[in-house]
Amino acid sequence: MRIIKDKNAIIRMFHVHKRYGAKQALIDISLDVKKNEFLFVNGPSGAGKSTLLRLLYLGTPVSEGQILVDGINLSRIPQSKIPYLRRKIGIIFQDYKLIHTKTVYENVALVLEAMGKKKVIIDKKVKNVLLTVGMKSRQDALPPTLSGGEQQRVAVARAIVGDPKIILADEPTGSLDSESSRAIMDLLEKYYIRGATIIIATHDKSIIKQTDAKVVELSEGRLLSNTKI
Amino acid sequence: MSHYYKRAVKDILENRFQNLVTIITIAFSVLIVSAFTLFFYNAGNIINSWKQGIRIMVYLSDGVTKPQQLDTKYRFAEIPGIQKSRFISKQEALELLKQQLQRQSSLLGNLKENPLPDAFEITLKPSSQNYERLEFIAKRLENLPFVDEVEYGQRWMQGVSAIVNLISITGYAFGSLFLLASVFIVANTIRLVLFSRQEEIRIMKLVGATNRFIKIPFYIEAIIQGIMGSLLGLTFLYVVYLFIGTYFKGGITAKTVNICFLPYDVILVIIISGMGVGMIGGAIALKEFLKS
């Protein structure tokens, strides 16, 4: 069956299954995420939260079902167009995924360089975003010299510098203390207020409680409910 | 574009040893190919200059009269490929011999009679200055009446030319093998760099970098390796060339032909080939890596 576009939904998942060999990671997931929605995907470890996010940026292909991201059917996207899809999405990883041999500035600038932006624009935007996340003073530092909270702030800066429509954050506060977690959540909320769609996969109910955001629960690869915790 | 160059140069500096090995391998291959090219180029020049001077000497039988000489000269006109002929009397030949012997010419003073024959020096048309025509014309001349012997000193040139060709073919074969080996060594160097930066490349892809964006710096790196390897190889060859020049005092010359270094266009072709080796090596590694 063909998935139908919905002008209010920026993400549509339609009977999505994901298998890793014999293991079923996601089972029959159908989910719509509206434009400028703040959504938590909650569930215990191994529930399939990371897999769900990975499907959205084509970190892994879907086994069955269909996904639309900003009107693009991910099952039909040519390999050459994947980078352009990823430019619509800012991704924040639990392990930050910063390039250790590049400075904070270079890590953030990479996104705009990949987009082919001019040097002057890159410089202006990177400095602005580093100021927003409070890392301007550490722009020449290499990631291994930063604390976990600082590295995650750089990761947020990298995710938002290209003005993506969607932010996917996989356990963004997973390894941070409560103060750093709050700072990261504040940054994401600021970006949400500017009009972006934010999806956060987390097992941490305490950060969900602090917001009014929509929550979906995953358990053993199945979507249980749309709940407010 | 400056971003790509910066990344390529940074990679080279970060992987100095691997890059040095690659550059030296390319230099070695270029040295072999260009040394053979230099040899072939100069040998070709020498052979061409000798070809231009191809002459046939037609020695007349003893006691040939003036009318018989003239008759022989007219018969030359019937043989296609002959440009001109010059009669050299036995007296003239003796004088020439005396001039060539210089100090030893006194030895000829004891001769009771001139032992040299009358002769014709035949110059060939440019179109006939090849071995097949030369053989053919010489045979026709030998069959003429009053002709005792026909001689053409360049008979051995066919052998020399064949040897030069054989050496050149061997050289190009070895050179090609080394260039092929260089392609794989460049590919291996780039492959090692790619593997050491696997995670970085993965992250670049996740933030929306296209394959082109990832590939270009590696291509630049491979091209730099190719150019540097070619320049190193050519510089070494030039040093050897200069050294040989000094050894032979006052420049390298072989009587009629100056032995010279490779012309600029050949140097350019060699450098471009080095770049090509780098690019092909880089392309092989990148294709494999990005596929996986």
Side-chain angles (χ1 to χ4, degrees):
Chain A
M1 192 183 282
R2 193 158 168 245
I3 191 165
I4 302 159
K5 287 181 187 175
D6 176 347
K7 61 177 180 179
N8 295 317
I10 195 158
I11 294 169
R12 302 204 78 189
M13 298 182 86
F14 189 68
H15 298 293
V16 170
H17 293 254
K18 177 64 191 176
R19 287 181 284 274
Y20 292 112
K23 190 182 179 291
Q24 279 276 6
L26 289 175
I27 305 159
D28 199 24
I29 305 286
S30 290
L31 176 71
D32 278 359
V33 181
K34 290 195 179 76
K35 284 177 185 166
N36 192 212
E37 188 167 33
F38 202 119
L39 176 76
F40 282 104
V41 180
N42 185 238
S45 295
K49 305 184 294 293
S50 300
T51 300
L52 191 141
L53 295 195
R54 232 177 274 144
L55 289 176
L56 298 178
Y57 62 83
L58 272 175
T60 186
V62 68
S63 304
E64 207 179 303
Q66 292 190 60
I67 302 174
L68 281 183
V69 174
D70 198 27
I72 301 165
N73 190 329
L74 302 193
S75 311
R76 294 183 193 161
I77 188 170
Q79 198 74 19
S80 59
K81 298 279 181 236
I82 294 175
Y84 302 97
L85 167 84
R86 288 180 178 159
R87 289 176 196 177
K88 293 171 185 258
I89 305 169
I91 314 165
I92 301 165
F93 302 92
Q94 185 178 4
D95 58 354
Y96 326 123
K97 291 218 187 308
L98 298 175
I99 299 169
H100 288 188
T101 51
K102 288 186 187 293
T103 63
V104 164
Y105 180 95
E106 288 168 337
N107 265 283
V108 179
L110 183 66
V111 177
L112 301 174
E113 283 168 356
M115 286 177 169
K117 299 279 184 202
K118 285 187 179 153
K119 211 174 169 230
V120 194
I121 295 167
I122 294 174
D123 194 54
K124 197 178 160 193
K125 289 201 88 173
V126 172
K127 282 179 177 161
N128 269 344
V129 84
L130 286 176
L131 200 66
T132 309
V133 301
M135 289 299 291
K136 178 83 173 62
S137 59
R138 305 299 311 271
Q139 67 169 26
D140 296 323
L142 290 172
T145 64
L146 304 175
S147 69
E150 286 175 322
Q151 288 194 55
Q152 195 60 298
R153 275 193 275 164
V154 179
V156 171
R158 186 183 61 188
I160 63 176
V161 74
D163 292 323
K165 291 181 174 179
I166 305 163
I167 295 277
L168 303 177
D170 190 6
E171 301 281 8
T173 58
S175 51
L176 304 181
D177 56 54
S178 58
E179 197 185 330
S180 300
S181 297
R182 192 59 252 160
I184 295 296
M185 290 309 296
D186 286 346
L187 284 171
L188 292 174
E189 273 171 29
K190 265 188 206 167
Y191 199 67
Y192 161 69
I193 291 163
R194 282 171 56 187
T197 304
I198 314 277
I199 303 177
I200 299 175
T202 182
H203 67 277
D204 185 357
K205 288 195 167 74
S206 66
I207 62 163
I208 301 173
K209 280 175 187 163
Q210 293 165 21
T211 68
D212 295 324
K214 183 180 167 184
V215 182
V216 292
E217 285 249 7
L218 271 178
S219 177
E220 292 178 344
R222 288 179 195 279
L223 195 63
L224 296 183
S225 59
N226 293 2
T227 354
K228 172 76 192 98
I229 294 174
Chain B
M1 210 58 192
S2 69
H3 154 78
Y4 295 126
Y5 283 112
K6 260 167 68 183
R7 256 175 64 200
V9 172
K10 201 177 167 192
D11 268 355
I12 290 176
L13 294 176
E14 278 173 5
N15 301 284
R16 272 182 223 125
F17 182 72
Q18 284 167 6
N19 277 286
L20 193 67
V21 169
T22 310
I23 288 168
I24 289 171
T25 313
I26 295 175
F28 193 59
S29 313
V30 166
L31 177 66
I32 291 174
V33 175
S34 48
F36 277 100
T37 308
L38 183 65
F39 169 77
F40 186 58
Y41 177 71
N42 281 293
N45 279 350
I46 293 169
I47 289 172
N48 278 340
S49 76
W50 284 342
K51 268 187 191 170
Q52 280 160 17
I54 286 180
R55 294 209 183 353
I56 299 178
M57 291 304 295
V58 177
Y59 298 107
L60 302 178
S61 308
D62 227 12
V64 169
T65 61
K66 191 86 181 165
Q68 287 168 333
Q69 282 169 21
L70 280 172
D71 178 61
T72 308
K73 191 175 167 77
Y74 289 133
R75 282 173 196 264
F76 292 157
E78 291 164 15
I79 301 172
I82 293 177
Q83 192 172 52
K84 60 177 181 182
S85 62
R86 186 172 80 89
F87 179 71
I88 301 169
S89 68
K90 55 200 293 181
Q91 288 75 21
E92 195 183 334
L94 189 65
E95 283 309 309
L96 281 170
L97 185 63
K98 278 180 184 172
Q99 279 171 24
Q100 282 170 9
L101 288 174
Q102 290 176 352
R103 283 183 191 172
Q104 285 79 26
S105 62
S106 57
L107 294 170
L108 299 172
N110 299 328
L111 291 171
K112 287 178 185 159
E113 59 179 73
N114 183 352
L116 301 174
D118 289 327
F120 280 100
E121 186 189 64
I122 309 276
T123 307
L124 299 180
K125 287 177 182 168
S127 58
S128 299
Q129 289 174 353
N130 59 63
Y131 308 109
E132 291 76 23
R133 290 294 302 162
L134 192 63
E135 286 275 348
F136 172 76
I137 293 168
K139 287 246 162 66
R140 293 276 306 263
L141 290 168
E142 267 170 1
N143 292 332
L144 291 178
F146 320 119
V147 169
D148 183 38
E149 200 184 341
V150 172
E151 195 183 277
Y152 50 105
Q154 284 83 357
R155 196 190 286 262
W156 51 273
M157 269 175 58
Q158 189 171 8
V160 171
S161 190
I163 291 168
V164 167
N165 283 339
L166 185 70
I167 294 170
S168 302
I169 290 164
T170 316
Y172 286 126
F174 273 110
S176 305
L177 278 176
F178 273 100
L179 284 178
L180 197 66
S182 303
V183 166
F184 288 104
I185 290 169
V186 172
N188 222 30
T189 312
I190 302 279
R191 201 177 288 136
L192 287 174
V193 176
L194 285 168
F195 276 107
S196 69
R197 294 181 44 193
Q198 212 166 3
E199 183 62 11
E200 183 181 333
I201 291 167
R202 222 169 73 84
I203 294 169
M204 285 162 81
K205 284 183 147 192
L206 287 175
V207 300
T210 55
N211 279 352
R212 187 172 161 267
F213 179 81
I214 295 165
K215 276 180 190 175
I216 290 175
F218 289 106
Y219 274 123
I220 295 173
E221 188 177 330
I223 290 172
I224 292 174
Q225 286 172 347
I227 294 174
M228 288 182 79
S230 305
L231 289 176
L232 190 68
L234 285 168
T235 307
F236 189 71
L237 182 70
Y238 190 66
V239 170
V240 172
Y241 164 80
L242 287 181
F243 175 75
I244 292 171
T246 319
Y247 184 77
F248 279 102
K249 290 176 204 169
I252 316 168
T253 54
K255 274 194 174 175
T256 53
V257 180
N258 280 329
I259 294 179
C260 49
F261 196 64
L262 295 167
Y264 289 123
D265 51 352
V266 175
I267 290 174
L268 193 68
V269 169
I270 290 171
I271 293 172
I272 291 169
S273 306
M275 278 166 60
V277 164
M279 276 198 76
I280 297 168
I284 292 172
L286 284 160
K287 199 177 173 190
E288 279 173 11
F289 186 83
L290 291 172
K291 214 186 247 179
S292 66

